[in-house]
Amino acid sequence: MNDIRSVLRAYILENLLPGEDPSNLTDDTELKESGILDSMSTLKLVTYLEEQFAIEFAAADLEPANLSSIAALQRLVQSKL
Amino acid sequence: MLLAGLVVHAYGIEGPAFLRLFMLAAAGFAVSMFLRAAWRLPFFALLSLAAVFLVFSPADGAWLIACGVVLIGTCHLPLPLWARVALLLAIGGLLAASRAGAIAAPWSSVVWPILGSMFMFRLAIYAKSLATEPRQGRIWAALGYFFMFPNLVFPLFPVIDYQTFRRSHFDKDSAVIYQQGLLWIARGIVHLLLYRLVYQRVVNDAADVEALGDLAQWMLGTFLLYLRVSGMFHLIVGMLHLFGFRLPETHKLYYLSRNFTELWRRINIYWKDFMMSFVFYPVYFRVKKLRPAMAIGIATAAVFATTWALHSYQWFWLRGGFPVTPQDILFWGLLGGLVIVGAIRELRPGPKRLRGAARWSLTEGLRTSGTFLLFCFLWSLWSAESVGQWIWTLGAAINVDAKGALLIGAAIVLLTWLGGRSRDALSSARPVLRTVLPLAALLVLAIPSVVGLLPAPVADKVAALHTTGLNVRDAELQHRGYYEQLDVRARLATQDLDQPGARRDEWQDLPSTGVLRLRDDFLERDLLPARSVVWNGNAFSTNRWGMRDRDYELEKAPGTLRIALLGPSHVMGNGVGDGETFEALVEDRLNREHALPGIGRYEVLNFGVDGYCLTQQVRMLEERVFDFAPDVVIMTTYHANRAMSRVFLYKTIWRGVGIPHEEVLQLVRSAGIEDVGRDGLPVPFEPWRRAARWVGVNVRMPGAEIEGRIHGIVDEVSDAAIARFARVARERGVKPLVVALDAVVERETRELPNQEALRAAGLPVVNLLGIYPEERRAALRVASWDDHPNAEGHRLIADRLYPGLAAFIDKEFAAE
């Protein structure tokens, strides 16, 4: 689980929030409402996670609840493993 | 909440039904706060169901709830998914047939927009969510979700996601949720009042656009009308917050988007999310094996095609029509193309930050102003009545004027300044201040003595915040019988979508009663003789001569002073019963109180016809009135005459009707519209048409260009009618008189229209402009959507007309 969390945090900080203080990004930070994850960045993140964990997402997986925070994304990836 | 309630009351925000609902929300909020957590969702559902009966009659309310329960229940039937979907489609088909009028519905027409709004999208979202939905509290959640009470006064409603609706319920500290809700209620109220200001004082008519300044005003105004939608959505989501639903923001600084992809994400965010979930992701995952750019392009194109189709679907349930217009296709096509380009560009790696850049950026500012202005341009296409009208209107840009340069320059400077700032900086004030300050300021501005201290131009703008009726342009359109086009003009920002309790849907126009006859000659229309109908609840009868009046002999009896009254709808008596027109009242009073030697009887003959402009009044005079040997003939001038004349001339020219008035014919010739052609491809601008004909294409002048050219001569046509009226009356030995009289319109100017022509013709005028006191206007109108004077209004007109008419008679006839 921690591995998924670290991968997610690292990806978001490196690709979506470069230069941001890592302490500002918590497991419960609102990713959609804060605008960090929009449609394009969601697709990029999903593609990355598919490659990283050898999993495959479906359209139904990308419900707002599953994308709301790192914790929610972590649960989603875990359910695919 | 109290402050917001006072502002809602002071400004009449969204009408009386909304005020009732807002008070219910306030009371419900007070109760909900003290309830145990488990009871709050059932309480919200029950409150929403009770609110149905606050807005609708018991029968309509019961039908609405019954329909909803059947639809929700169908989703839960113990059948395979395909069977439930088939059943839902069958029920939807039946309802659609009934909405289209093919099957009679047992409820009144006011139920349709609300029923449609509650279920047209939410049912699909709900059905999709059932598989993953927790069973606990399902019934209350479903009832609350479908019947959520703000929907009862806002048919145009954000597409709320069911999972978010459930998941967000008190998922954070309640005080934080309540504070957010109050902030959005305050913001919604501000947006709605700004919308009023734009609607009443800024937006102009495309047909009046003559130069770059008018064009810029039209484009800015039409886009700013969208404030109504963002205002309503903020208000809706704000009220839902008071019951613990921590739903996301519906609109976010959309006027300050830096590109079209960002605009798409900021404007109507719920719709974007709905499209992402139902179209974008499913399509993308089907084609993701293609190159990423290709897959994203296809998925985005599917989103815009679906959005276009669903707007018409939405319109069908809310309005009963299914508009598919070329400007719709062009608008969504162009916007989709721009968003695709932006989305593909975003595939490149790029940073996002939790906090925006603190420093002001010129590049970001210029991108913001560029996006805004380009979107104004596109939005004006969507708001135009036709593509032809849009292109013709754009032609005004070649007439560069100071107003245009100033407007565009100011917009660029303001948007660049705001757009270059950090988004966080724009909303950094404390939420309590952002909630309380605007509401308190609005409340202060609602005090008449405060407004009295303001300079006149500012006081006028404050007055606009209180104005709830149609603006001058739309009021004129209503008069000329084009009211139904408001659907097209105002689109989703329409004024009257929110009146489910109103009877406007059932309001009959005169042609549908069978009393009005449309003609193929220069008179264009008249009343059929010897008809008697009930029109919008009033007896409406015509005599054997086709006058809305009692019967008269053709031959005038000796000792009778006969007055012929010409005019439009408010002279004919729209909205009042037989015998209640001011014409009948004045006739009775003259006979009762104004005895003169040699005059044994007065007769006032009402030749008023719905929709008549001055030119038609003169035509009626020449064709029919002189047969009755009148001693006095009265023409009615009014401010909407200009709009009426435009429509009359358009119809005359488009139909190729012969123009018997030489002076009008000359003007039509000078405008280049004597022969506009009726077949062929509509092509704007004469050089373009010449070029098209040169390559063998059959073309004609588009309607918008005809309208634009008419605009240039319409005042002269009215002047010509006035001169002709005076001349022909005097030639026949009849005393001409002019009465200036408007319907009960807001912002009526007392300045006499066509003053110079009246003076040149030496016509006496009884000026009744401005006779409706502002505080009594609502009580003097037929209905809030129909500004013709009611019976009380006609009595007021008669009281004010009588002394002027009596004085005129004394002057002209007493000596004789």
Side-chain angles (χ1 to χ4, degrees):
Chain A
M1 285 289 273
N2 276 341
D3 186 36
I4 300 170
R5 181 177 169 277
S6 317
V7 168
L8 281 165
R9 275 186 64 82
Y11 178 87
I12 292 169
L13 285 168
E14 187 181 335
N15 294 280
L16 305 178
L17 299 167
E20 184 67 50
D21 180 354
S23 65
N24 281 338
L25 181 68
T26 67
D27 285 2
D28 296 322
T29 299
E30 293 277 4
L31 297 179
K32 277 190 74 73
E33 282 183 36
S34 61
I36 298 168
L37 271 188
D38 55 38
S39 49
M40 290 302 114
S41 48
T42 301
L43 291 182
K44 284 194 267 188
L45 172 64
V46 160
T47 308
Y48 173 75
L49 293 173
E50 284 183 335
E51 288 169 2
Q52 195 71 18
F53 295 103
I55 54 176
E56 197 157 331
F57 289 106
D61 295 323
L62 305 189
E63 292 298 329
N66 292 337
L67 305 172
S68 59
S69 63
I70 288 181
L73 277 165
Q74 192 178 349
R75 284 192 294 274
L76 174 66
V77 174
Q78 185 65 40
S79 71
K80 295 282 171 185
L81 289 174
Chain B
M1 192 66 185
L2 177 68
L3 200 56
L6 289 171
V7 174
V8 167
H9 179 257
Y11 288 87
I13 303 267
E14 300 301 297
F18 177 70
L19 180 64
R20 286 200 300 275
L21 217 64
F22 196 81
M23 287 162 65
L24 181 81
F29 171 48
V31 174
S32 174
M33 273 197 303
F34 297 104
L35 287 178
R36 282 169 51 189
W39 292 1
R40 285 175 173 173
L41 189 58
F43 176 74
F44 175 75
L46 289 171
L47 187 79
S48 294
L49 290 174
V52 169
F53 297 98
L54 203 67
V55 175
F56 292 109
S57 67
D60 281 343
W63 276 114
L64 178 69
I65 292 172
C67 269
V69 169
V70 167
L71 287 165
I72 298 167
T74 307
C75 296
H76 291 276
L77 286 175
L79 294 171
L81 180 66
W82 67 265
R84 280 179 284 158
V85 171
L87 258 176
L88 283 172
L89 288 174
I91 297 171
L94 273 176
L95 288 170
S98 185
R99 180 66 174 122
I103 303 170
W107 50 80
S108 61
S109 62
V110 294
V111 174
W112 278 118
I114 305 303
L115 181 65
S117 174
M118 285 176 167
F119 290 91
M120 63 184 166
F121 297 127
R122 265 179 253 164
L123 205 57
I125 297 169
Y126 181 71
K128 190 173 175 232
S129 306
L130 278 181
T132 54
E133 192 211 3
R135 300 191 77 83
Q136 195 184 8
R138 181 186 267 186
I139 293 173
W140 297 119
L143 289 173
Y145 177 65
F146 282 103
F147 291 101
M148 52 183 105
F149 70 86
N151 208 164
L152 293 166
V153 286
F154 293 111
L156 195 62
F157 206 78
V159 184
I160 294 174
D161 178 63
Y162 182 63
Q163 283 187 358
T164 310
F165 179 78
R166 287 212 69 176
R167 183 171 45 84
S168 69
H169 193 231
F170 287 109
D171 66 344
K172 284 203 171 171
D173 178 41
S174 57
V176 174
I177 300 176
Y178 297 150
Q179 189 178 57
Q180 186 67 69
L182 288 170
L183 172 65
W184 286 350
I185 287 173
R187 193 182 292 172
I189 289 171
V190 171
H191 283 206
L192 287 172
L193 291 177
L194 284 174
Y195 159 80
R196 278 189 190 171
L197 184 66
V198 172
Y199 178 69
Q200 296 292 342
R201 298 292 190 270
V202 177
V203 74
N204 53 348
D205 192 342
D208 291 333
V209 171
E210 289 180 335
L212 182 64
D214 304 327
L215 183 64
Q217 184 183 346
W218 179 61
M219 287 188 170
L220 286 170
T222 47
F223 186 27
L224 290 175
L225 286 177
Y226 187 79
L227 280 165
R228 177 160 171 79
V229 179
S230 62
M232 288 193 300
F233 282 19
H234 271 98
L235 215 46
I236 290 164
V237 176
M239 287 201 289
L240 291 174
H241 269 69
L242 301 183
F243 294 87
F245 299 101
R246 198 182 60 83
L247 298 167
E249 197 164 9
T250 66
H251 292 74
K252 199 169 187 178
L253 296 172
Y254 54 97
Y255 286 132
L256 297 179
S257 304
R258 290 166 183 145
N259 56 55
F260 282 89
T261 313
E262 190 181 338
L263 178 70
W264 171 248
R265 291 189 188 118
R266 288 177 174 276
I267 195 167
N268 201 351
I269 294 165
Y270 287 29
W271 182 264
K272 183 264 297 175
D273 286 344
F274 175 53
M275 284 292 99
M276 296 305 295
S277 175
F278 273 75
V279 181
F280 185 84
Y281 290 136
V283 173
Y284 177 81
F285 277 89
R286 275 187 177 276
V287 298
K288 73 173 185 177
K289 297 275 188 291
L290 303 171
R291 284 187 296 122
M294 179 75 82
I296 284 169
I298 291 170
T300 310
V303 164
F304 279 87
T306 311
T307 297
W308 164 64
L310 289 184
H311 264 85
S312 290
Y313 165 79
Q314 176 170 263
W315 215 245
F316 170 75
W317 287 110
L318 298 188
R319 285 297 197 178
F322 203 92
V324 176
T325 62
Q327 60 267 40
D328 268 341
I329 299 167
L330 264 175
F331 172 77
W332 289 111
L334 288 169
L335 186 59
L338 288 163
V339 173
I340 288 171
V341 170
I344 291 171
R345 286 181 62 180
E346 281 191 15
L347 278 178
R348 299 179 206 152
K352 284 177 183 291
R353 295 178 65 85
L354 282 183
R355 312 212 175 279
R359 287 174 55 192
W360 182 79
S361 160
L362 176 64
T363 314
E364 295 299 299
L366 288 174
R367 286 175 67 195
T368 303
S369 55
T371 303
F372 180 90
L373 292 177
L374 189 52
F375 196 71
C376 278
F377 178 76
L378 280 182
W379 191 266
S380 68
L381 164 65
W382 201 40
S383 306
E385 286 176 8
S386 66
V387 178
Q389 186 210 41
W390 185 65
I391 294 173
W392 172 255
T393 308
L394 293 183
I398 58 170
N399 300 323
V400 179
D401 58 353
K403 177 183 162 188
L406 202 68
L407 262 178
I408 296 170
I412 290 173
V413 169
L414 181 66
L415 289 161
T416 305
W417 176 61
L418 287 172
R421 299 176 72 194
S422 153
R423 296 292 184 270
D424 296 330
L426 292 167
S427 52
S428 57
R430 290 173 57 195
V432 174
L433 290 181
R434 283 190 283 152
T435 306
V436 172
L437 281 183
L439 292 176
L442 285 169
L443 212 51
V444 170
L445 284 177
I447 302 168
S449 54
V450 172
V451 179
L453 299 172
L454 300 172
V458 181
D460 176 65
K461 303 295 179 289
V462 175
L465 301 180
H466 290 274
T467 309
T468 55
L470 298 174
N471 66 11
V472 174
R473 177 192 65 156
D474 288 340
E476 285 180 354
L477 290 172
Q478 182 187 28
H479 272 288
R480 70 187 198 188
Y482 272 25
Y483 191 81
E484 66 278 11
Q485 287 197 12
L486 282 177
D487 289 359
V488 179
R489 282 165 171 265
R491 298 281 171 175
L492 301 180
T494 187
Q495 269 280 12
D496 56 294
L497 264 174
D498 55 325
Q499 297 187 18
R503 289 170 53 210
R504 200 187 80 70
D505 285 350
E506 292 157 19
W507 211 241
Q508 255 189 307
D509 58 8
L510 190 57
S512 65
T513 62
V515 175
L516 190 81
R517 171 172 56 188
L518 298 176
R519 299 163 52 124
D520 291 328
D521 59 14
F522 198 57
L523 200 55
E524 193 270 319
R525 53 175 58 197
D526 64 358
L527 299 180
L528 286 163
R531 297 292 166 118
S532 190
V533 296
V534 174
W535 181 30
N536 292 327
N538 294 301
F540 188 100
S541 309
T542 56
N543 64 19
R544 62 184 146 147
W545 312 109
M547 299 172 216
R548 201 274 167 101
D549 210 335
R550 62 194 70 164
D551 194 43
Y552 298 97
E553 295 299 327
L554 182 63
E555 291 289 323
K556 183 171 64 176
T560 299
L561 192 138
R562 194 170 257 187
I563 301 166
L565 176 62
L566 298 154
S569 50
H570 50 287
V571 171
M572 184 192 74
N574 282 35
V576 295
D578 292 340
E580 292 182 321
T581 59
F582 71 84
E583 165 273 318
L585 300 174
V586 165
E587 179 178 336
D588 289 345
R589 188 167 171 193
L590 283 170
N591 282 313
R592 210 169 48 238
E593 301 177 16
H594 201 71
L596 281 181
I599 300 176
R601 177 175 171 73
Y602 293 94
E603 289 179 347
V604 184
L605 280 55
N606 191 344
F607 287 92
V609 176
D610 185 63
Y612 265 16
C613 66
L614 297 184
T615 307
Q616 285 165 295
Q617 292 180 41
V618 178
R619 190 65 192 155
M620 173 62 96
L621 172 68
E622 293 171 331
E623 270 204 5
R624 205 173 298 174
V625 174
F626 288 134
D627 295 345
F628 290 83
D631 303 287
V632 176
V633 60
I634 301 175
M635 168 189 262
T636 307
T637 183
Y638 55 112
H639 286 106
N641 171 68
R642 199 165 186 273
M644 302 287 223
S645 292
R646 270 168 30 190
V647 175
F648 166 71
L649 286 168
Y650 184 90
K651 286 178 182 170
T652 302
I653 290 157
W654 180 250
R655 291 174 182 167
V657 171
I659 300 176
H661 291 180
E662 185 57 31
E663 56 278 28
V664 177
L665 186 60
Q666 290 300 330
L667 288 165
V668 166
R669 275 186 191 139
S670 71
I673 45 177
E674 187 186 6
D675 181 13
V676 294
R678 293 178 65 179
D679 302 316
L681 196 69
V683 174
F685 309 114
E686 190 54 38
W688 292 14
R689 283 191 291 278
R690 270 202 299 271
R693 285 190 199 104
W694 189 72
V695 295
V697 180
N698 182 25
V699 295
R700 64 170 174 83
M701 190 184 287
E705 183 172 343
I706 300 171
E707 273 201 84
R709 288 170 180 261
I710 287 171
H711 180 77
I713 59 166
V714 68
D715 289 326
E716 290 172 86
V717 169
S718 294
D719 289 349
I722 288 167
R724 189 178 181 98
F725 168 73
R727 194 182 74 242
V728 296
R730 286 171 182 143
E731 282 172 1
R732 301 292 289 259
V734 182
K735 310 284 186 196
L737 174 68
V738 171
V739 169
L741 175 68
D742 278 332
V744 195
V745 293
E746 293 297 331
R747 296 188 70 209
E748 182 190 26
T749 165
R750 292 179 185 225
E751 191 182 332
L752 199 58
N754 306 96
Q755 275 188 65
E756 281 306 314
L758 290 168
R759 199 173 298 125
L763 284 167
V765 178
V766 177
N767 190 344
L768 302 183
L769 298 177
I771 60 166
Y772 312 110
E774 190 178 341
E775 67 280 5
R776 285 184 62 204
R777 277 182 202 147
L780 295 171
R781 275 193 198 104
V782 169
S784 62
W785 59 89
D786 185 337
D787 58 20
H788 292 99
N790 58 18
E792 193 182 341
H794 275 264
R795 283 194 290 276
L796 175 70
I797 299 168
D799 287 346
R800 301 292 294 274
L801 174 61
Y802 176 81
L805 185 57
F808 177 78
I809 292 167
D810 287 346
K811 182 177 171 227
E812 298 291 342
F813 297 96
E816 292 176 19

